[in-house]
């Protein structure tokens, strides 16, 4: 008998505008010790299905059908009865670990709450059990962490705490709703490993809700695909990946860019002139240091001496984990933040230190597309007004009719239909809004576009469309691009060259194929090996490259020497590892071998 | 924490000095003086009076003497209007009255407003919620100069339960109506703030986590939701507390309670410089003090804030 068995589940939300059918007649089974992947894009009803199973739906939701946990019906139970089951027989972890823990309560107290609720374990014994689980989810200095507040831990650490807390009463079912979507790839890989261990060692059944086919290939035994609240296709992971029956499943699989794909991105011709030349750019922020009679600030070196150039029509991908200075670098290039040091030469002219008014003519050529498409558009302007605005600024000679014509052409070009001109951003989907953002950036035919996580918030199929659009626009208009993303597969699919950043410093820069086929730096290798590939057979044979320790704080002066422990200088030295050229166009920061790094790094 | 308090006091001193100079200068530049009246005094008499109070001295000298007086003897000088009474006497008489009904009003506003706001949020869209929203809107639109006479009409003239005014050493019968009149609008604001912030917190992710853990609703509200939802309320409490304990001219005028609010407004009309300045400094210091208390409360609620 299945542990969790859902039959003909319907979830409706009653709203002012009528009834919204979020889940339509979904059935699924999860066996003990198995992982079921529930895959779908936003609005597919995958989360609501399991919120219904936990009894956590919003008050305006109506359900029908059946949800059986170990043969007992869950639907229709009172909150008091559900409270007996939640946290004891089944637990749930969520997407955003940064907001999932109560901010004003210490971690140990939040964990002990679980034991007080569902078991007789109290006092020292409870503390010991919490500590035990903190160690099992590989939290360093676990004892001290129990006395800390959530904000003192990184996102990855907080997700581990969530898992440890969810597992305290050894539930039979763990529901994980996009547990790694908000995390960096290396952290994602750690969390997935951890869940895999729980499955095999504790025989915990796992329901993994995700949009990422790579994660499914790595983790799941069975898969169920959902779309618009409906069942599309289900089966074992091997069946779904090797022989998908439904068109939508095939589309999902092919839309996902792969780091082992065979697509080609031709190199830029060596004759192409350099448009952007960035030399030794540094950006330092002052961070307030708490305590002390007189408040002091410490310098946080977000970008420490980055140099690169960019040819006409070329795309340079910038990858790195959160806090590595990707976005700061982008803003420094555009002079949206003043670099503390270094030069940014645009067409041979240094932009650093130019006044606002002398920068302005260059703005026409230097454009940026941001991550959150809705938040980066003015909610009070129609989308055509947003797209039109740069025209008024830079081509004041155009009449209103001419401008509208240009806007209409550009909207058509980016795939927005003409009847949308008077729509407002909130009336459009995320993908459509990102098309508006791109149209706005492209309207004056700029020569450089910076895409700062421009597709990260979008569903995979929309993401694929936007990437294709960007490539097409580049082929047509010949602009150069800086493409910033934490997602290596996406960066690979669009870039000619790739730069890997680590704590504000370039650790490796090479052509796209050199980076992926022949990475030299241990950090690059660990990043690539952590990216899941949407193919269970490939996933089973891949080797993870692990680095010792956690990503250090950028304030830590020794952090730069994490990959070169053999030559770590004395405290207080400002020296940094140098760069070496290993092949034409392939530069790498000096580093030790992975074995030496493991050997020379003191274990926490 | 100690460092924070020391830093705050270090900033408070220049703030108070600027406040002092600015209010002194404003009062000096306004035409007229405490001894100008419709029938002008004979020039000789006026000169004698001005010499007595030191008003014939240059302005900077007056200011200097005034500051020295405060710092060395804690003496805020004599009142120009109430003969034979110093500003210290007036504060000593009026401030305890104001403080008494102010603190009680503050507590009533917090307890009633907080309870109303929390229960409305927990039972959103129930009759209790509609009732609470209705009451708070009503309480906010009813100004206290309308409310106070209505209270007197009902409880003194019709029912005869409570005395219509006076203080009588702070007997409880004399405190009830001033407290109701003063606290109602603050209570309504607190209830509305509490309701909306509690609703927002109840929709947040960590409350979803708490529900997924199987915690009973009571524990969720009191242990997980209450503290974070207090943040916007606390930032309102600082100015509200100062507003209540520094007195209200309307309360003092209608109920004849004799608090400093009455003296303050009259001092302005009478050009009673010394009383005006003394009370300004008192209120300024209290404002600075309670903003500091609010910041400390913030750090207690939110562990991310380090002082």
């Amino acid at each position: 008998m299945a542990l969790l068995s859902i039959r003909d589940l319907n979830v409706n939300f009653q709203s002012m505008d009528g009834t919204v059918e979020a889940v339509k007649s979904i059935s699924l089974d999860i066996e003990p010790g198995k992982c079921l992947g529930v895959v779908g894009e936003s609005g597919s009803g995958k989360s609501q299905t399991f919120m219904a199973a936990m009894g956590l739906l919003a008050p305006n939701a109506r359900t029908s059908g059946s949800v059986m946990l170990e043969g007992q019906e869950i639907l229709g139970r009172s909150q008091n009865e559900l409270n007996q089951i939640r946290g004891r027989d089944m637990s749930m972890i969520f997407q955003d670990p940064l907001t999932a823990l109560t901010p004003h309560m210490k971690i140990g107290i939040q964990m002990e709450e679980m034991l007080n609720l569902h078991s007789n374990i109290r006092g020292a014994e409870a503390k010991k059990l919490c500590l035990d689980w903190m160690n099992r989810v590989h939290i360093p200095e676990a004892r001290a962490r129990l006395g800390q507040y959530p904000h003192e831990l990184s996102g990855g650490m907080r997700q581990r705490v969530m898992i440890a807390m969810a597992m305290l009463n050894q539930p039979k079912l763990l529901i994980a709703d996009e547990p790694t979507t908000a995390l960096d790839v290396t952290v994602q890989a750690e969390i997935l490993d951890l869940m895999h261990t729980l499955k095999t060692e504790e025989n915990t059944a796992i329901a993994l809700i995700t949009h990422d086919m790579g994660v499914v290939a790595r983790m799941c035994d069975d898969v169920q695909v959902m779309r618009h609240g409906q069942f599309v296709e289900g089966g074992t992971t091997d069946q779904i990946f090797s022989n998908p029956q439904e068109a939508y499943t095939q589309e999902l699989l092919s839309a996902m860019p792969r780091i082992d794909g065979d697509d080609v991105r031709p190199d830029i011709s060596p004759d192409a002139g350099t448009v952007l030349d960035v030399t030794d750019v540094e950006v330092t922020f002052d961070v307030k240091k708490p305590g002390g009679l007189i408040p002091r600030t410490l310098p946080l070196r977000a970008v420490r001496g980055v140099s690169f150039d960019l040819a006409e029509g070329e795309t340079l991908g910038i990858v790195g984990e959160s806090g590595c200075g990707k976005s700061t670098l982008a803003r420094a290039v555009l002079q949206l933040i003043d670099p503390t040091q270094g030069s940014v030469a645009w067409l041979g002219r240094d932009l650093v230190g130019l006044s606002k008014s002398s920068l302005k003519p260059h703005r026409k050529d230097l454009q940026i597309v941001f991550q959150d498409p809705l938040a980066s558009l003015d909610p009070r302007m129609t989308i055509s007004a947003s797209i039109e605005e740069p025209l008024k600024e830079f081509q004041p000679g155009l009449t209103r009719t001419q401008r509208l014509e240009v806007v209409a052409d550009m909207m058509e070009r980016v795939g927005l239909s003409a009847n949308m001109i008077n729509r407002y951003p909130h009336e459009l989907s995320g993908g459509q809004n990102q098309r508006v953002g791109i149209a706005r950036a492209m309207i004056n035919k700029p020569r450089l576009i910076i895409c700062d996580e421009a597709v990260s918030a979008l569903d995979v199929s929309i993401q694929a469309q936007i990437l294709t659009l960007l490539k097409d626009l580049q082929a047509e208009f010949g602009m150069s691009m800086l493409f910033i993303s934490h997602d290596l597969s996406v960066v690979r699919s669009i870039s000619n060259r790739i730069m890997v950043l680590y704590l504000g410093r370039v650790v490796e820069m090479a052509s796209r194929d050199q980076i992926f086929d022949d990475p030299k730096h241990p950090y690059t290798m660990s990043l690539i090996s952590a990216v899941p590939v949407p193919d269970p057979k490939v996933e089973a044979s891949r080797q993870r490259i692990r680095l010792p320790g956690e990503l250090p704080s950028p304030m830590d002066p020794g952090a730069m020497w994490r990959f070169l422990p053999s030559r770590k200088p004395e405290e207080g030295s400002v020296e940094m590892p140098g760069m070496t050229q290993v092949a034409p166009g392939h530069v790498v920061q000096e580093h030790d071998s992975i074995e030496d790094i493991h050997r020379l790094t003191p274990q926490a | 924490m100690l460092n924070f308090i020391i830093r705050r006091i270090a900033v408070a001193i220049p703030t108070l000095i600027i406040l002092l100079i600015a209010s002194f200068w404003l009062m000096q530049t306004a035409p007229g003086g405490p001894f100008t009246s419709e029938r002008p005094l004979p020039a000789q008499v006026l000169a004698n009076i001005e010499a007595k109070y030191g008003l014939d001295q240059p302005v900077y000298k007056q200011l200097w003497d005034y500051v020295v007086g405060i710092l060395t003897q804690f003496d805020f000088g004599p009142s120009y209007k109430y003969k034979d009474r110093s500003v210290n006497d007036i504060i000593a008489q009026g401030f305890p009255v104001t403080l008494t009904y102010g603190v009680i009003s503050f507590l009533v506003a917090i307890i009633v407003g907080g309870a109303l706001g929390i229960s409305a949020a927990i039972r959103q869209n129930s009759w209790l919620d509609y009732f609470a929203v209705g009451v708070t809107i009503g309480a906010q639109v009813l100004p206290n100069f309308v409310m106070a006479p209505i209270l007197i009409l009902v409880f003194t003239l019709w029912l005869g339960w409570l005395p219509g005014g006076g203080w009588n050493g702070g007997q409880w019968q004399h405190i009830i109506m001033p407290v109701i009149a003063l606290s109602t609008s603050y209570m309504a604001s607190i209830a509305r703030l509490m309701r909306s912030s509690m609703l927002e917190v109840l929709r947040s992710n960590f409350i979803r986590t708490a529900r997924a853990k199987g915690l009973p609703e009571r524990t969720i509200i009191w242990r997980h939701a209450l503290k974070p939802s207090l943040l916007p309320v606390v930032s309102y409490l600082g100015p509200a507390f100062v507003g209540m304990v520094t007195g209200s001219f309307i309360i003092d005028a209608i109920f004849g309670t004799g608090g400093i609010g009455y003296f303050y407004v009259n001092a302005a009309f009478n050009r009673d410089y010394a009383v005006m300045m003394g009370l300004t400094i008192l209120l300024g210091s209290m404002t600075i003090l309670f903003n500091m208390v609010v910041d400390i409360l913030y750090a207690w609620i939110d562990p991310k804030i380090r002082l």
Side-chain angles (χ1 to χ4, degrees):
Chain A
M1 189 181 67
L3 178 70
L4 181 81
S5 177
I6 297 180
R7 287 288 168 274
D8 288 324
L9 177 70
N10 290 288
V11 178
N12 298 325
F13 291 96
Q14 316 289 330
S15 73
M16 299 285 220
D17 308 328
T19 305
V20 180
E21 297 184 6
V23 178
K24 298 171 211 160
S25 191
I26 289 296
S27 300
L28 54 84
D29 291 293
I30 305 179
E31 306 290 335
K34 294 282 182 197
C35 177
L36 172 74
V38 180
V39 189
E41 297 184 296
S42 38
S44 65
K46 56 190 193 303
S47 293
Q48 295 306 334
T49 303
F50 286 93
M51 292 300 263
M54 287 287 283
L56 288 175
L57 289 170
N60 63 340
R62 300 285 171 273
T63 52
S64 67
S66 147
V67 177
M68 306 278 264
L69 182 73
E70 295 188 293
Q72 287 196 307
E73 181 60 50
I74 300 274
L75 289 188
R77 291 214 180 193
S78 72
Q79 287 296 320
N80 279 342
E81 290 172 311
L82 284 167
N83 281 340
Q84 304 296 314
I85 302 169
R86 291 195 284 237
R88 192 189 70 191
D89 297 328
M90 54 177 172
S91 281
M92 189 160 180
I93 59 173
F94 302 95
Q95 172 166 2
D96 186 0
L98 295 181
T99 57
L101 289 158
T102 305
H104 66 270
M105 288 170 69
K106 287 180 179 164
I107 286 172
I109 293 176
Q110 299 197 42
M111 289 182 73
E112 279 177 53
E113 232 178 17
M114 277 294 250
L115 293 170
N116 292 340
L117 263 177
H118 299 293
S119 73
N120 305 322
I121 305 170
R122 298 283 183 280
E125 210 186 331
K127 285 203 170 58
K128 200 181 150 287
L129 190 60
C130 291
L131 187 62
D132 189 36
W133 268 104
M134 293 283 275
N135 283 321
R136 288 180 72 173
V137 298
H138 307 295
I139 292 183
E141 300 156 59
R143 189 177 294 277
R145 302 284 183 203
L146 287 173
Q148 285 183 316
Y149 290 100
H151 74 270
E152 296 173 80
L153 274 63
S154 69
M157 281 298 157
R158 283 187 237 183
Q159 195 64 297
R160 280 173 224 222
V161 169
M162 282 295 286
I163 294 178
M165 188 161 77
M167 291 306 295
L168 269 177
N169 291 306
Q170 282 166 299
K172 299 169 190 97
L173 173 66
L174 178 67
I175 302 170
D177 187 355
E178 302 270 12
T180 58
T181 307
L183 304 175
D184 282 321
V185 273
T186 50
V187 183
Q188 160 171 300
E190 301 275 334
I191 298 285
L192 293 180
D193 285 353
L194 187 65
M195 286 172 48
H196 188 77
T197 321
L198 292 177
K199 190 183 80 170
T200 48
E201 286 179 5
E202 307 286 326
N203 206 31
T204 313
I206 297 177
L208 182 63
I209 304 166
T210 183
H211 68 280
D212 188 331
M213 281 299 200
V215 170
V216 173
R218 180 172 293 182
M219 288 292 294
C220 299
D221 304 292
D222 301 293
V223 186
Q224 176 144 345
V225 183
M226 286 178 70
R227 186 188 199 187
H228 304 321
Q230 279 168 323
F231 171 81
V232 174
E233 186 172 3
T236 67
T237 306
D238 284 339
Q239 282 168 359
I240 296 289
F241 278 87
S242 57
N243 191 16
Q245 299 297 312
E246 295 293 322
Y248 180 64
T249 315
Q250 291 162 2
E251 195 185 305
L252 269 186
L253 283 169
S254 64
M256 178 124 185
R258 296 174 58 149
I259 54 162
D260 60 345
D262 46 13
D263 56 318
V264 281
R265 258 318 246 165
D267 283 350
I268 292 302
S269 102
D271 314 329
T274 301
V275 286
L276 181 71
D277 195 353
V278 173
T279 320
D280 260 334
V281 162
E282 294 227 2
V283 182
T284 306
F285 297 114
D286 286 332
V287 182
K288 225 188 192 159
K289 187 171 178 264
L293 254 191
I294 296 146
R296 271 178 307 171
T297 57
L298 291 172
L300 169 74
R301 299 176 68 198
V303 176
R304 8 185 149 193
V306 169
S307 307
F308 64 90
D309 53 30
L310 187 66
E312 181 108 55
E314 184 184 30
T315 304
L316 176 68
I318 304 179
V319 294
E321 295 180 286
S322 32
C324 73
K326 309 183 287 283
S327 292
T328 310
L329 177 63
R331 284 163 172 72
V333 167
L334 290 185
Q335 308 297 308
L336 297 175
I337 320 176
D338 291 325
T340 324
Q341 228 180 37
S343 76
V344 176
W346 171 248
L347 301 173
R349 181 145 183 231
D350 195 354
L351 299 180
V352 177
L354 286 190
S355 68
K356 265 199 174 141
S357 53
S358 31
L359 264 175
K360 204 171 141 195
H362 296 291
R363 292 260 179 248
K364 178 172 175 288
D365 281 337
L366 305 167
Q367 286 297 322
I368 184 161
V369 180
F370 295 100
Q371 170 164 14
D372 186 340
L374 183 59
S376 50
L377 290 169
D378 188 332
R380 279 168 213 84
M381 282 166 87
T382 60
I383 61 163
S384 59
S386 280
I387 300 173
E388 186 191 354
E389 208 176 22
L391 280 180
K392 290 187 185 163
E393 195 61 48
F394 290 107
Q395 299 187 42
L398 293 182
T399 64
R400 189 176 148 73
T401 342
Q402 285 170 319
R403 279 201 308 268
L404 288 180
E405 223 166 274
V406 180
V407 169
D409 284 350
M410 186 48 77
M411 282 179 63
E412 196 194 327
R413 187 65 202 81
V414 299
L416 291 166
S417 65
N419 60 19
M420 287 185 171
I421 51 165
N422 285 324
R423 298 273 187 92
Y424 286 91
H426 70 268
E427 300 174 296
L428 270 56
S429 69
Q432 287 169 334
N433 273 321
Q434 198 56 300
R435 286 171 198 267
V436 175
I438 292 171
R440 185 204 55 77
M442 285 300 298
I443 193 83
N444 278 315
K445 312 241 171 0
R447 299 180 65 181
L448 172 69
I449 283 207
I450 297 185
C451 298
D452 187 359
E453 302 275 10
V455 297
S456 306
L458 306 174
D459 276 326
V460 266
S461 58
I462 311 294
Q463 181 175 308
Q465 293 166 13
I466 298 285
L467 289 174
T468 312
L469 171 66
L470 283 170
K471 282 190 247 186
D472 290 350
L473 288 172
Q474 189 175 36
E476 190 175 331
F477 299 109
M479 79 273 192
S480 311
M481 272 201 280
L482 284 180
F483 194 92
I484 297 168
S485 178
H486 68 282
D487 186 331
L488 275 82
S489 335
V490 166
V491 168
R492 181 182 179 278
S493 75
I494 198 165
S495 308
N496 304 107
R497 271 195 306 150
I498 290 171
M499 175 162 93
V500 183
L501 282 184
Y502 169 78
L503 295 185
R505 203 76 186 141
V506 179
V507 294
E508 185 157 5
M509 178 152 57
S511 76
R512 158 190 119 134
D513 293 336
Q514 280 168 322
I515 286 277
F516 281 95
D517 299 341
D518 187 22
K520 296 290 184 206
H521 197 279
Y523 183 65
T524 316
M525 293 188 210
S526 79
L527 281 183
I528 293 173
S529 80
V531 179
V533 176
D535 185 335
K537 295 198 183 70
V538 177
E539 269 299 315
S541 63
R542 282 176 81 214
Q543 272 293 310
R544 277 272 314 287
I545 292 163
R546 290 187 175 80
L547 297 170
E550 284 282 309
L551 186 70
S553 152
M555 309 289 281
D556 174 6
M560 288 320 302
W561 297 89
R562 187 175 169 210
F563 304 110
L564 194 54
S566 65
R567 290 187 8 222
K568 189 173 176 178
E570 296 287 304
E571 267 310 290
S573 162
V574 290
E575 202 190 332
M576 282 198 265
M579 299 296 285
T580 50
Q581 181 154 4
V582 291
H586 190 165
V587 286
V588 181
Q589 193 181 51
E590 292 175 291
H591 59 88
D592 290 326
S593 71
I594 289 175
E595 296 75 39
D596 284 349
I597 295 173
H598 274 281
R599 192 166 48 80
L600 293 169
T601 306
Q603 290 299 312
Chain B
M1 178 80 132
L2 186 66
N3 282 331
F4 168 78
I5 294 173
I6 295 173
R7 271 205 310 271
R8 268 309 179 79
I9 292 171
V11 179
I13 291 166
T15 313
L16 278 176
I17 291 174
I18 292 168
L19 179 71
L20 199 131
I21 295 173
S23 43
F24 198 85
W25 178 76
L26 274 173
M27 266 179 289
Q28 293 285 346
T29 40
F35 308 110
T36 43
S37 53
E38 282 170 46
R39 222 154 41 101
L41 293 168
Q44 189 54 47
V45 177
L46 187 63
N48 279 340
I49 296 176
E50 290 199 330
K52 182 192 170 212
Y53 288 108
L55 292 175
D56 53 344
Q57 307 276 349
V59 173
Y60 70 87
K61 180 80 169 44
Q62 289 181 37
L63 181 62
W64 177 254
D65 289 345
Y66 183 71
V67 174
V68 168
I70 294 174
L71 291 181
T72 53
Q73 298 159 34
F74 207 70
D75 179 10
F76 288 86
S79 164
Y80 300 153
K81 211 69 194 181
Y82 303 95
K83 305 278 176 313
D84 305 323
R85 287 175 76 182
S86 72
V87 176
N88 290 17
D89 293 338
I90 289 175
I91 292 178
Q93 188 207 333
F95 192 53
V97 173
T98 304
L99 198 65
T100 307
Y101 73 71
V103 169
I104 297 175
S105 302
F106 180 71
L107 294 176
V108 168
I110 291 186
I111 293 168
V112 178
L116 205 58
I118 293 173
S119 34
I122 297 173
R123 312 218 179 285
Q124 197 196 358
N125 298 330
S126 69
W127 66 267
L128 181 67
D129 186 24
Y130 298 139
F131 169 76
V133 171
V135 165
T136 53
I137 290 175
Q140 270 186 324
V141 295
L142 193 67
N144 54 6
F145 59 81
V146 176
M147 179 116 167
I150 294 177
L151 286 172
I152 293 178
L153 185 71
V154 174
F155 291 103
T156 309
L157 298 180
W158 291 355
L159 299 172
W161 290 353
L162 295 169
W167 185 243
N168 202 11
Q171 266 184 324
W172 64 269
Q173 296 94 328
H174 292 264
I175 297 181
I176 292 179
M177 288 199 294
V179 163
I180 295 177
L182 184 59
S183 64
T184 304
S185 73
Y186 290 105
M187 180 274 291
S189 300
I190 290 172
R192 290 166 70 85
L193 277 172
M194 192 73 228
R195 176 180 177 272
S196 62
S197 82
M198 178 60 96
L199 280 176
E200 198 181 316
V201 169
L202 286 177
R203 277 194 290 267
S204 63
N205 285 348
F206 61 88
I207 296 298
R208 186 181 58 186
T209 305
R211 296 218 162 97
K213 283 159 83 171
L215 288 171
E217 199 65 19
R218 203 173 348 103
T219 317
I220 292 177
I221 305 274
W222 291 113
R223 203 187 296 164
H224 289 258
L226 182 62
K227 224 170 158 188
S229 67
L230 282 177
L231 273 180
V233 182
V234 163
S235 56
Y236 173 75
L237 290 187
F241 186 73
V242 175
M244 281 187 259
V245 301
T246 52
S248 157
F249 174 71
I250 289 164
I251 300 294
D252 288 336
I254 296 181
F255 293 107
T257 34
I260 50 167
Y262 185 75
F263 289 107
Y264 202 13
V265 175
N266 273 342
F269 286 134
N270 294 334
R271 298 305 165 80
D272 198 342
Y273 296 154
V275 173
M276 194 69 205
M277 296 278 293
L279 290 174
T280 301
I281 291 166
L282 178 74
L283 303 198
S285 323
M286 302 240 328
T287 308
I288 290 170
L289 178 71
F290 283 102
N291 280 328
M292 186 165 90
V293 172
V294 164
D295 283 345
I296 292 171
L297 277 175
Y298 255 96
W300 171 72
I301 293 174
D302 184 353
K304 263 180 277 193
I305 299 173
R306 303 257 307 272
L307 297 175

